[in-house]
Each structure stands twice: as structure tokens, then as C-alpha cells.
Amino acid sequence: QVQLVESGGGLVQAGGSLRLSCAASGSTASSRATGWFRRAPGKEREFVAAISWSGGRTYYGDSVKGRFTISRDNAKNTVYLQMNSLKPEDTAVYYCAVSKRIYYSGGYYYTENYDYWGQGTQVTVSS
């Protein structure tokens, strides 16, 4: 089992920045990638970004490319999501998730390919 705890959410004005953290504990050796998803009120869960265990591969959803950056510090078992140029439409609960499997072509975009999920952290962007 892997336990995930997100932090860093909050209220920010449009154009501002936030950095989310996802701290993992437990059987982290089974992790092959970590992803971030978000769910806005009344919408489906949306892929935001993912990063492989080594950090050598990163993936981004179209709506956040060029604004968000995912990174990791394996010594701290933590994955970060730096969010810049925030927009009101980025308002959502942000979840991190861990996959035990390796995908090379888009597999990390899908919620069903993740095995463990955190409880989420709220991000609110005011206009």
C-alpha cells in the first residue's frame, strides 16, 4: 500500500502561483509514476500532469501546458506541481495518484491506470 497526502492548495488571484506537494509513504518502491488530476464542480476528473519514477518522462494535459510544471524529489518521496499563471478555470480539487505500471504512450492520462489516490487539496483561483 502507498499512502498519499497532498498539500499546498489555497486561494489565489488570477495570474498568481501555487505549488502543490504530494508526499508518499508506505510501499513506495512499487511506484512507477505519479500523476496529478483535478475535479472541478460538476465536471469529470481531468488529467493534469504525470511524471515517471526517474523523472525522465513528463506528461501534461493540454489546458496546463506551458503553465504547470511537475517535478519530483525521490529522496523526500515527494512530487510537486508548480502552477503559474493561474486562471479561474483552474479552480478544482487536485488529487495526486501513483501507478505501479509502466506506460510509454499516454497511459498515465487515464484514472483507471492508477492504483493509489490521495484525498485531494482545494485550489481556488479568484478573478
Side-chain angles (χ1 to χ4, degrees), residues 15-31:
S17 299
L18 282 175
R19 189 177 79 155
L20 304 184
S21 298
C22 172
S25 60
S27 301
T28 58
S30 64
S31 170

Side-chain angles (χ1 to χ4, degrees), residues 5 11 25 27 48 68 75 88 93 119:
V5 178
L11 174 64
S25 60
S27 301
V48 175
F68 291 12
V93 177
Q119 294 300 306

Side-chain angles (χ1 to χ4, degrees), residues 2-109:
V2 176
Q3 294 78 42
L4 302 170
V5 178
E6 301 96 335
S7 62
L11 174 64
V12 63
Q13 288 189 328
S17 299
L18 282 175
R19 189 177 79 155
L20 304 184
S21 298
C22 172
S25 60
S27 301
T28 58
S30 64
S31 170
R32 294 296 174 264
T34 301
W36 285 96
F37 290 77
R38 66 187 183 187
R39 176 175 281 166
K43 295 188 176 182
E44 296 285 323
R45 196 170 292 196
E46 176 190 14
F47 171 75
V48 175
I51 187 167
S52 62
W53 173 253
S54 68
R57 289 180 290 126
T58 57
Y59 308 85
Y60 295 94
D62 289 341
S63 61
V64 306
K65 280 180 183 176
R67 299 189 298 124
F68 291 12
T69 302
I70 191 170
S71 62
R72 67 187 309 145
D73 183 343
N74 286 342
K76 296 182 179 179
N77 286 328
T78 301
V79 170
Y80 304 99
L81 184 68
Q82 178 67 44
M83 305 187 296
N84 298 330
S85 302
L86 283 161
K87 305 175 182 179
E89 50 264 44
D90 294 317
T91 294
V93 177
Y94 284 71
Y95 301 89
C96 68
V98 159
S99 176
K100 298 191 295 184
R101 289 154 281 179
I102 297 174
Y103 298 97
Y104 291 101
S105 180
Y108 294 128
Y109 297 170

